[in-house]
């Protein structure tokens, strides 16, 4: 009787393992077929951007589908236990496969639909377009029929130090290439496909546990990580032939630097500031007035270093003057007061025109003709040749702004881990309890407010020279062009409050998307509202969250699964986790 029971339980388990293996092979085959479809013509006319008419040579959006299909194949083979690929998915392959399959499917079907809509019907599709649409659906169907194989990541195999450092360097090189590719996209359709592909791919890497493992290496080699990140970012202007996309990168750095300064106020100290962009304007207007502009009310021409210090100092003074009487308020009351300050600043700059007030800022016309920076004989407005590569004027400002961001990151990291940083966190979590423990809440909040204002003023001095003009409309609560207070706050919340990389990522996304998708400019606030609602529902801690926020928001979502995977996961999973 015992023998009969064993047979009846073993046979279904064996059948289930065979079914799982077959589904994984089907996902791999679907990925290969998706790759093959990109070498076919998807449309017969070159009117659709990217020239998808050539056989044997993928172009435009086909390249994104090809890359997505290749990654699907790699993860499908990893799930089958192919030797040498287990490192791709330390915590399981099923969820990663599902996300990757959705990414390839979304990019392919977006392309097919865009061809039909823009060219006037599905008649404009070649057979390759239909083949791609069908083959991209195969991995989706196979991946969603697989059982969940999520498991705890095993301790990784020890590698030589040089190999681990090489992995860190390669990761940053790949990351910089992906970001550069997105900035360099030439048309809206390609950028949309890029967002779909990269978005699902990054989510898949998180689910597979690969990002967590890489984070462990970066924490182990912190100095190497910082150097690799800086070198990768500094290499960007050397990859550009014109200043068209370099200007976008400069504005992203300005936006990200200001967002990181706001992160001190909102992310660390927990102060809801809705008028933070005014401090950026204070720095920009100060630099415009003292840098020798022909429209300046003052006949002075400070050198760059003096203009930067002046802009930062004036912003600091404004931060203290505004913060001293208002930081005794909390919550919504503080938010209303800071919102009022932002609007008062914009209106005041518009009224200092010699009619409604003193002639200082030229009112709505602003201060134009701000000269390019000249730092020890190095003119930022001229092209320079470095290592045989000609760098345009915006490349000079890019490298300058990169150094400014390094300074802001250093200030943020040092302040966050200091005694005053821990006091900010205590105030953010519970001001009453922090005050009872002896923390002077008002003084601590004023320091955060003043430091955030100083960093914003620092970025504003560079922005004034990049834009060559400053006008009041640049510093609104919400407007069509970032940075403004709504954009800045959204960048901090979207990226992840209290982190360094979170606001940088949030600012990059919130600037690149409107810059690349011009048709969305009239619907930006609607899009941000929808994005924030979805974020609060599915990832309330932000895209990149610190450990404290993750534990707070997901304390009941901890997985409790065996370390070696589920019983029906097959031998392949055990090999993949090795």
């Amino acid at each position: 009787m015992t023998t009969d029971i064993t047979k009846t339980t073993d046979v279904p388990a064996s059948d289930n393992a065979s079914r799982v293996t077959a589904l994984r092979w089907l996902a791999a085959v679907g990925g290969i077929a998706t790759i093959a479809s990109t070498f076919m013509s998807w449309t017969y006319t070159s009117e659709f951007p990217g020239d998808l008419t050539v056989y044997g040579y993928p172009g435009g959006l086909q390249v994104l589908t090809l890359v997505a299909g290749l990654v699907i194949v790699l993860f499908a083979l990893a799930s089958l236990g192919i030797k040498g690929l287990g490192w791709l998915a330390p915590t399981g392959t099923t969820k990663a496969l599902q996300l990757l399959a959705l990414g390839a499917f979304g990019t392919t079907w977006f392309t097919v639909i865009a061809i039909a809509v823009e060219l006037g019907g599905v008649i404009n599709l070649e057979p390759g377009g239909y083949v791609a649409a069908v083959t991209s659906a195969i991995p989706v169907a196979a991946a969603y029929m697989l059982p969940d194989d999520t498991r705890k990541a095993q301790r990784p195999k020890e590698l030589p130090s040089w190999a681990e450092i090489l992995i860190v360097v390669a990761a940053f090189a790949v990351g910089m290439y992906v970001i550069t590719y997105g900035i360099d996209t030439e048309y809206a359709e390609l950028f949309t496909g890029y967002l779909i592909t990269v978005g699902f791919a990054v989510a898949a890497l998180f689910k597979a546990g690969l990002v967590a493992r890489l984070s462990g290496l970066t924490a182990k080699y912190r100095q190497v990580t910082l150097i690799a990140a800086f070198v990768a970012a500094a290499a960007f202007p050397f990859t550009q032939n014109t200043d068209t996309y370099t200007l976008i990168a400069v504005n992203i750095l300005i936006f990200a630097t200001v967002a990181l300064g706001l992160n001190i106020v909102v992310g660390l100290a927990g102060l809801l500031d809705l008028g933070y962009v005014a401090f950026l304007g204070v720095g920009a207007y100060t630099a415009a007035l003292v840098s020798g502009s022909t429209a300046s009310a003052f006949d002075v021409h400070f050198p760059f270093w003096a203009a930067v210090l002046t802009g930062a100092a004036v912003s600091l003074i404004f931060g203290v003057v505004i913060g001293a009487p208002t930081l005794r308020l909390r919550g919504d009351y503080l938010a209303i007061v800071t919102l009022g300050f932002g609007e008062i600043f914009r209106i005041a700059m518009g009224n200092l025109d010699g009619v409604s007030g003193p002639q200082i800022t030229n009112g709505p016309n602003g201060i134009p003709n701000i000269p390019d920076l000249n730092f020890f004989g190095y003119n930022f407005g001229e092209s320079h040749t470095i290592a045989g590569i000609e760098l345009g004027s915006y490349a000079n400002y890019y490298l300058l702004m990169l150094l400014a961001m390094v300074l802001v990151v250093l200030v943020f990291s040092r302040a966050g881990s200091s005694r005053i940083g821990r006091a900010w966190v205590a105030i953010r979590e519970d001001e009453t309890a922090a005050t009872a423990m002896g923390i002077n809440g008002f003084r601590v909040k004023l320091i955060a407010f003043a430091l955030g204002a100083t960093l914003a003023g620092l970025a504003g001095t560079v922005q004034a020279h990049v834009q060559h003009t400053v006008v009041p409309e640049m510093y609104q609560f919400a407007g069509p062009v970032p940075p403004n207070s709504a954009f800045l706050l959204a960048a901090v919340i979207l990226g992840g409050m209290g982190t360094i990389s979170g606001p940088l990522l949030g600012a990059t996304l919130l600037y690149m998307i409107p810059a690349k998708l011009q048709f969305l400019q009239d619907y930006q606030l609607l899009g941000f509202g929808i994005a924030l609602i979805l974020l609060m529902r599915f990832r309330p801690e932000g895209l990149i969250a610190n450990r404290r926020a993750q534990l707070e928001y997901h304390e009941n979502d901890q997985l409790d699964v065996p370390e070696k995977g589920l019983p029906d996961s097959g031998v392949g999973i055990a090999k993949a986790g090795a």
Side-chain angles (χ1 to χ4, degrees), residues 264-271 330 420-435 437 439 441 444-445 497-498 546-553:
I264 294 178
V265 180
V266 177
L268 293 182
L271 305 175
R330 298 186 186 182
I420 190 68
R422 293 191 294 271
W424 287 336
V425 174
I427 290 292
R428 181 192 68 194
E429 296 298 325
D430 192 328
E431 184 174 350
T432 302
T435 303
M437 296 299 294
I439 296 176
V444 167
K445 290 190 292 184
M497 294 189 296
N546 58 25
R547 185 64 175 167
R548 182 193 301 269
Q550 266 187 328
L551 293 175
E552 178 181 350
Y553 286 109

Side-chain angles (χ1 to χ4, degrees), residues 319-501:
V320 173
V321 170
I322 299 302
T326 61
L327 288 178
R328 300 185 187 278
L329 302 173
R330 298 186 186 182
D332 298 340
Y333 300 101
L334 177 62
I336 293 172
V337 171
T338 55
L339 175 61
F341 164 66
E343 291 301 299
I344 289 172
F345 170 80
R346 181 179 61 83
I347 295 172
M349 293 302 101
N351 287 335
L352 298 179
D353 56 358
V355 178
S356 302
Q359 172 61 290
I360 298 178
T361 65
N362 294 325
N365 296 323
I367 304 177
N369 303 323
I370 301 173
D372 285 300
L373 293 175
N374 195 311
F375 193 55
F376 293 109
Y378 188 92
N379 192 329
F380 281 71
E382 298 177 355
S383 298
H384 298 272
T385 301
I386 300 178
I389 301 175
E390 184 176 352
L391 298 180
S393 60
Y394 289 123
N396 301 323
Y397 285 108
Y398 174 88
L399 295 175
L400 174 64
M401 202 61 224
L402 185 61
L403 293 175
M405 174 173 286
V406 171
L407 175 62
V408 174
V409 168
L410 181 63
V411 171
F412 182 91
S413 60
R414 294 297 184 185
S417 58
S418 66
R419 180 179 180 181
I420 190 68
R422 293 191 294 271
W424 287 336
V425 174
I427 290 292
R428 181 192 68 194
E429 296 298 325
D430 192 328
E431 184 174 350
T432 302
T435 303
M437 296 299 294
I439 296 176
N440 188 330
F442 172 74
R443 183 176 65 87
V444 167
K445 290 190 292 184
L446 185 60
I447 293 174
F449 208 74
L451 180 58
T454 304
L455 297 179
L458 177 68
T461 60
V462 179
Q463 185 201 36
H465 291 89
V466 172
Q467 303 289 347
H468 297 292
T469 184
V470 290
V471 292
E473 285 72 20
M474 296 171 60
Y475 309 104
Q476 302 177 9
F477 169 72
V481 180
N484 51 59
S485 293
F487 274 73
L488 291 169
L489 190 60
V492 173
I493 298 174
L494 176 68
M497 294 189 296
T499 65
I500 294 177
S501 53

